Amino acid sequence: MIGLELVYALAGAMFLGFALVTALHRRDSKGRATALFWGLIALSFLLGDYIGDMANGVLAIVIVAVAASGRTGAAPASGEGGQEAAASRYGNRLFLPALAIPAIALAGTVLFKSVPGIVKASDATLVSLGLGALASTVICMVWFRTRAEAPLREGVRLADGLGWAILMPQLLASLGIIYAAAGMGTAVGSLLDHVDTGGSLFAQVALYCTGMALLTVLMGNALAAFPVMFAAMGAPLLVTVQHGDPAAVAAIGMLAGFCGTLLTPMAANFNLVPAALLNLRDPYGVIRAQAPTALAMLAANILLLYFLGFSR
Amino acid sequence: MLVLLAVVVLVAGLVARINPLAVVLASAATAGLAAGLPLPELLARFGAAFNANKFVTAVFLVIPTIGLLERHGLQERAKQLMRGLRGITLGRLLLAYLLARQLTSAVGLTQLGGQVTMVRPMLGPMAEAAAEQDGAQVDADRAKALAAATDNVGLFFGEDIFLAIGSILLMKGVMEGYGMKAEPFALSMWAVPTAIAALLIHGTRVLLLDRRRKASLGEAA
């Protein structure tokens, strides 16, 4: 059965291509280290499953060292223009290949889940996304009659703009696992135990929701925060003692955690990567834009749980 | 408790503007050592986690297509499209996107949006163009940041209404561990009030952008 290894092979080939076009076409001072950076990521994708945990750890450190060396970066702007004219010429058809990626990803996910035996069900989404990206690239190459290396050169232009941010989500996910293994959740949970709520239901609900958001800010992921806070306060206090509706306590607690996701650089794929993708001057610009909504939503979740979750 | 030092390292490193990847490694090392993990085991655990999470980086498989389309004018076309629409404002554009993102996420179509495939090549430039053509002085950065924020808000406060999403399955698992009856349908229904609150709160915020800008335009005239 097809699984993630297909996605990893595709991604490995793409990053290897980035390394090659960088090594072959860049003559500026940052070209060599940048080629090395993409090459090492390619290595991780192509060989990561075979070299063992220690070697993967060393590889991660080397990649970070190259990225932090200050010798990597985007090529000087080439100044190729003509996008306005191209936009008028190709018109709204330009949206189709971009929309084809999610369309193919969706169709594939549905197909692979309903017809078992082709792709592992757990990997169906990512495999379909990979196939969608590949198909859409081929459509664009035929349509624009580009040279074979064009997708790699345009892709690496974008990737160079992202730079280190491209690895941040993966690295932070790894950090979250180390935090969990080191007992971060229980440490924060026991810290919250010291807060005196004076037996007030509203204070308990507020502490539970705020704790969920706070722990998510630290761990970067509400799914990591949920088991800790549900164990610390949700189940023993809000459900057992205060007779809250278990489904309400769980569901609204999780959504309070999502408010934390909107506030934290630890959720890099949602908050830091878009800032880099959109060339924002402020790397925390997306978090700043989200903060008022996130705080108001946290208050809303506290009120919703307090008023709807307990029968009185 | 010592493990909380790792958070101090993380925050201090980010505030000091040290390369964030290096800060993450330093924080992981602090957490591991504070918990008494021997260095080789810490290295192996981090390596295993790094390798197991490669799928997070795999979403960037779409960037060659996006790059090709942008070279051939995708962002400019998104802006041209906005200029052709009468009555479009930044607030109305973002409100419409928020509603669409919440509704599609609620029926499980979470992949229809996204920062790499939707916001960077299409929604971001559209927001920028909509802000420009209102004639008010609006920071292009702010318009794009709000576009990214709206995609996230719509996703987060829409997806939990869908039954088969990861967070619902996790809640079900945890609750059953405490011997609680957990119906995915009940969990997803409890996400509806919050979804409505998100539409009201974030929707009001983006619509207020229009009011503020029209007022400042009036002063100038």
Side-chain angles (χ1 to χ4, degrees):
Chain A
M1 264 206 287
I2 300 171
L4 277 181
E5 60 283 354
L6 176 75
V7 179
Y8 292 160
L10 274 176
M14 179 183 81
F15 285 116
L16 191 61
F18 288 176
L20 290 177
V21 295
T22 303
L24 290 175
H25 292 289
R26 283 206 24 202
R27 292 285 168 265
D28 59 284
S29 59
K30 291 189 164 176
R32 288 171 77 175
T34 308
L36 180 64
F37 179 65
W38 298 128
L40 288 168
I41 296 178
L43 196 68
S44 160
F45 269 96
L46 296 172
L47 300 179
D49 289 340
Y50 309 101
I51 56 178
D53 294 344
M54 282 288 222
N56 272 309
V58 173
L59 183 57
I61 291 173
V62 174
I63 292 174
V64 171
V66 173
S69 68
R71 291 164 193 270
T72 62
S78 62
E80 277 180 69
Q83 276 89 345
E84 278 289 341
S88 302
R89 181 171 150 222
Y90 293 112
N92 288 336
R93 284 175 298 166
L94 278 169
F95 295 119
L96 294 178
L99 297 172
I101 300 174
I104 294 172
L106 272 174
T109 308
V110 173
L111 175 77
F112 296 142
K113 284 196 173 161
S114 56
V115 184
I118 314 168
V119 171
K120 276 185 221 152
S122 54
D123 301 344
T125 310
L126 270 175
V127 170
S128 305
L129 181 72
L131 294 178
L134 189 64
S136 191
T137 303
V138 173
I139 292 170
C140 287
M141 289 174 71
V142 173
W143 185 21
F144 301 131
R145 298 202 198 121
T146 65
R147 307 211 334 227
E149 57 170 32
L152 293 171
R153 295 193 76 164
E154 299 304 334
V156 83
R157 186 174 55 81
L158 247 77
D160 282 338
L162 286 169
W164 56 263
I166 212 166
L167 268 191
M168 198 62 179
Q170 185 181 344
L171 221 53
L172 283 171
S174 314
L175 179 65
I177 291 177
I178 298 295
Y179 275 6
M184 178 70 75
T186 38
V188 175
S190 65
L191 214 61
L192 288 173
D193 278 346
H194 297 297
V195 181
D196 181 20
T197 56
S200 145
L201 175 62
F202 185 79
Q204 288 166 354
V205 168
L207 183 64
Y208 169 71
C209 289
T210 310
M212 196 75 88
L214 202 68
L215 199 53
T216 304
V217 166
L218 294 182
M219 319 249 298
N221 190 339
L223 301 194
F226 179 80
V228 178
M229 279 309 293
F230 197 71
M233 287 192 76
L237 194 60
L238 295 180
V239 175
T240 308
V241 178
Q242 303 280 14
H243 304 292
D245 180 331
V249 171
I252 298 181
M254 177 71 87
L255 290 162
F258 286 0
C259 299
T261 315
L262 293 171
L263 290 169
T264 179
M266 291 288 287
N269 45 345
F270 296 112
N271 298 336
L272 298 187
V273 166
L277 275 172
L278 297 168
N279 305 316
L280 302 188
R281 285 184 302 272
D282 179 5
Y284 301 119
V286 176
I287 295 182
R288 270 184 236 283
Q290 282 165 177
T293 299
L295 295 174
M297 284 305 299
L298 179 57
N301 279 316
I302 292 170
L303 293 175
L304 285 170
L305 181 54
Y306 178 71
F307 284 112
L308 303 180
F310 298 85
S311 49
R312 264 161 295 194
Chain B
M1 279 299 144
L2 223 50
V3 64
L4 291 171
L5 272 179
V7 178
V8 177
V9 169
L10 186 76
V11 173
L14 292 180
V15 170
R17 305 235 163 195
I18 301 168
N19 180 289
L21 298 181
V23 175
V24 169
L25 278 192
S27 180
T30 311
L33 294 176
L37 281 178
L39 212 52
E41 196 190 330
L42 178 60
L43 184 65
R45 283 218 192 182
F46 194 84
F50 182 74
N51 189 51
N53 280 294
K54 279 185 305 198
F55 69 90
V56 179
T57 307
V59 295
F60 293 106
L61 269 173
V62 303
I63 59 178
T65 314
I66 302 294
L68 268 179
L69 287 166
E70 286 188 0
R71 169 65 74 205
H72 292 86
L74 179 59
Q75 290 205 3
E76 284 70 18
R77 186 65 209 171
K79 290 182 183 173
Q80 288 172 0
L81 190 70
M82 284 296 103
R83 286 183 205 119
L85 289 177
R86 269 170 195 279
I88 196 79
T89 62
L90 179 62
R92 288 180 197 163
L93 171 75
L94 292 181
L95 178 65
Y97 186 81
L98 174 68
L99 186 62
R101 183 80 162 126
Q102 281 194 297
L103 289 176
T104 48
S105 300
V107 292
L109 305 179
T110 50
Q111 293 161 6
L112 281 182
Q115 301 291 350
V116 190
T117 51
M118 192 63 83
V119 179
R120 148 115 192 186
M122 289 179 271
L123 186 67
M126 282 179 178
E128 203 183 332
E132 259 169 41
Q133 74 193 29
D134 274 356
Q137 290 175 331
V138 163
D139 191 290
D141 264 29
R142 181 75 179 159
K144 290 192 285 185
L146 280 162
T150 303
D151 186 77
N152 284 337
V153 170
L155 171 68
F156 290 2
F157 301 113
E159 63 174 359
D160 259 21
I161 298 174
F162 187 61
L163 294 175
I165 202 90
S167 52
I168 297 255
L169 302 178
L170 174 89
M171 284 189 268
K172 184 170 147 55
V174 170
M175 290 171 75
E176 280 170 354
Y178 290 94
M180 296 175 191
K181 194 164 58 95
E183 283 292 328
F185 182 73
L187 289 170
S188 76
M189 279 301 105
W190 277 111
V192 173
T194 301
I196 295 170
L199 182 64
L200 293 177
I201 288 171
H202 195 72
T204 307
R205 267 193 74 207
V206 294
L207 281 183
L208 280 177
L209 293 170
D210 289 348
R211 178 184 278 185
R212 255 184 246 151
R213 292 190 5 252
K214 273 176 189 148
S216 68
L217 196 66
E219 279 163 33

